[in-house]
Amino acid sequence: MHAFSHGTTSTPTAVAVPPSLALEEIEAAFPRQLHPYWPQLQEKTRLWLLEKRLMPADKVAEHADGLRYTDLMAGYYLGAPDEVMQAIGDYSAWFFVWDDRHDRDVVHGRTADWQRLRARLHTALDAPGHHLHHADPVVAGFADSVLRLYSFLPHTWNARFARHFHAVIDAYDREFRNRTEGRVPGVEEYLALRRLTFAHWIWTDLLEPSAGVELPDQVRKHPAFRRAALLSQEFAAWYNDLCSLPKEIAGDEVHNLGISLITHEEMNLEEAVADLRRRVDSCVTEFLEVEGAVLEFADQLADGTTRGKELDAAVRTCVGNMRNWFSSVYWFHHESGRYRVDSWDDRSTPPYVNNQAAGEK
């Protein structure tokens, strides 16, 4: 069944949200939307995963659509040109595959494999054109998606994206070491690390090619704009932690805000869940407050010049898509097979992952 068989902009859904995870304000105040390109995006990303050998053919056939990766992106970057939407959709699918590869390398103790992959991703990020035919599908797929993303805006945007993703790769390495050592980071350390492993600033950067404009520093660093962007990403990361807590406890994970709260703040599971919910709710409430300030800022940018008109429109598109992120993330967690732990044969082993070692030795 299509994710939006009931209509692309209506709130009602056939998906049952558990009461412990239900957010009435999201369902009521954040109407759900989907990019009109979504059907082609789903089909082409599925083919791309096969072409780039990022998932075995049987797992693509059985799981790719049900994982709803393209739904997540198509619900976020509304207004993006189709080719931008496709590049983001493929990159997002790659990101999930990379995340799973990282997880399996931890689980199976493949430290040398992970270190090799980490180094290659750093190199491919700076010169993607030289890695399109790399023997490791994760490196080649990354190079392909990044090269396409680099084609939409000036080199200054590319350099910023690369700088942000180098930090993400290094954060994944810190997470690898923490998990290997069984070390649960403290709450503040975890929050800072999570902003990187969730790639807060990457998803925010991608708002710009979606809007067709590289935003100047005065816009990106405006307090209201930056706060709205951070809140949309914090909501996503913390709601993900809330939804994935059972899966990650089952898998002996150490990276989840709930696990940090239990370990370092001496909370029980019920108290940790309540704290997570409070943080998630506060993101929604504060975003609704700061959203108005961003729109006022957009008004100020419209100074009668062509550039002012362009920036006004771009800021409105970006903050509108920050809003879309709330609903897209929310419904993704209840529709994607990624979080249906209770239906797995082994609660610690997702059925859509490849447990075999991968890449050039």
Side-chain angles (χ1 to χ4, degrees):
M1 175 182 292
H2 288 177
F4 283 70
S5 58
H6 52 271
T8 61
T9 59
S10 58
T11 298
T13 176
V15 176
V17 179
S20 62
L21 301 175
L23 300 176
E24 292 183 5
E25 194 153 30
I26 294 295
E27 297 186 28
F30 290 77
R32 195 179 189 195
Q33 301 182 77
L34 194 67
H35 197 292
Y37 180 70
W38 171 75
Q40 296 98 308
L41 178 67
Q42 183 186 53
E43 179 181 357
K44 290 183 179 180
T45 294
R46 189 192 315 119
L47 293 174
W48 185 80
L49 287 168
L50 284 170
E51 176 192 341
K52 299 301 177 184
R53 299 179 294 117
L54 287 165
M55 291 175 68
D58 60 330
K59 293 191 181 295
V60 170
E62 186 174 357
H63 298 291
D65 289 354
L67 289 169
R68 306 294 181 98
Y69 297 158
T70 53
D71 299 37
L72 178 64
M73 292 297 111
Y76 184 15
Y77 297 102
L78 273 291
D82 291 354
E83 62 272 21
V84 174
M85 189 73 259
Q86 188 64 59
I88 292 174
D90 290 350
Y91 169 75
S92 170
W94 172 86
F95 202 114
F96 280 109
V97 171
W98 175 53
D99 185 74
D100 292 334
R101 167 85 164 268
H102 174 268
D103 174 69
R104 293 297 95 185
D105 281 350
V106 172
V107 169
H108 295 289
R110 300 192 292 244
T111 302
D113 288 349
W114 162 250
Q115 292 299 337
R116 189 179 299 112
L117 176 60
R118 177 184 65 84
R120 288 170 174 168
L121 292 178
H122 275 304
T123 303
L125 183 57
D126 290 328
H130 297 158
H131 295 78
L132 295 173
H133 305 290
H134 197 282
D136 185 337
V138 171
V139 177
F142 177 63
D144 178 82
S145 60
V146 167
L147 190 64
R148 288 152 62 203
L149 292 174
Y150 282 177
S151 69
F152 301 121
L153 291 177
H155 72 277
T156 45
W157 183 91
N158 298 348
R160 175 167 27 108
F161 180 93
R163 184 173 68 252
H164 286 162
F165 202 77
H166 279 303
V168 171
I169 297 168
D170 287 340
Y172 263 73
D173 189 49
R174 293 201 294 278
E175 181 175 306
F176 188 98
R177 284 183 273 120
N178 284 342
R179 289 183 64 187
T180 300
E181 297 166 6
R183 177 181 175 274
V184 179
V187 173
E188 291 306 314
E189 178 188 352
Y190 172 78
L191 293 176
L193 183 62
R194 184 63 161 148
R195 289 179 184 127
L196 293 171
T197 58
F198 199 83
H200 281 23
W201 302 118
I202 290 295
W203 306 119
T204 302
D205 287 338
L206 289 170
L207 291 168
E208 294 170 65
S210 299
V213 177
E214 181 186 19
L215 298 175
D217 284 353
Q218 72 182 81
V219 173
R220 291 189 302 104
K221 295 181 180 180
H222 185 276
F225 184 91
R226 191 167 179 83
R227 185 62 183 165
L230 180 61
L231 286 166
S232 72
Q233 295 298 321
E234 297 279 56
F235 167 82
W238 296 343
Y239 193 68
N240 175 270
D241 279 3
L242 182 63
C243 293
S244 62
L245 187 57
K247 178 182 81 167
E248 294 182 343
I249 289 175
D252 293 324
E253 250 284 10
V254 298
H255 289 94
N256 184 294
L257 181 53
I259 293 172
S260 287
L261 290 168
I262 291 168
T263 303
H264 295 285
E265 302 297 324
E266 299 182 349
M267 293 186 185
N268 59 35
L269 178 60
E270 182 178 326
E271 291 168 336
V273 168
D275 189 280
L276 272 168
R277 283 215 48 137
R278 178 186 60 78
R279 292 171 187 261
V280 165
D281 288 339
S282 70
C283 287
V284 178
T285 302
E286 190 178 347
F287 178 84
L288 290 171
E289 295 170 355
V290 77
E291 182 183 31
V294 179
L295 295 174
E296 289 178 7
F297 173 54
D299 285 339
Q300 295 168 15
L301 291 169
D303 58 3
T305 65
T306 300
R307 178 61 168 166
K309 181 178 181 181
E310 178 185 55
L311 290 177
D312 171 31
V315 168
R316 290 179 183 279
T317 296
C318 288
V319 76
N321 281 337
M322 292 173 197
R323 165 180 271 274
N324 289 332
W325 191 227
F326 285 85
S327 59
S328 192
V329 163
Y330 180 73
W331 292 112
F332 170 71
H333 280 85
H334 303 297
E335 294 177 343
S336 173
R338 196 171 178 86
Y339 303 99
R340 293 180 188 155
V341 183
D342 291 335
S343 68
W344 301 353
D345 292 336
D346 177 355
R347 287 170 59 88
S348 66
T349 304
Y352 47 83
V353 299
N354 181 8
N355 273 294
Q356 301 304 311
E360 180 186 11
K361 298 301 178 188

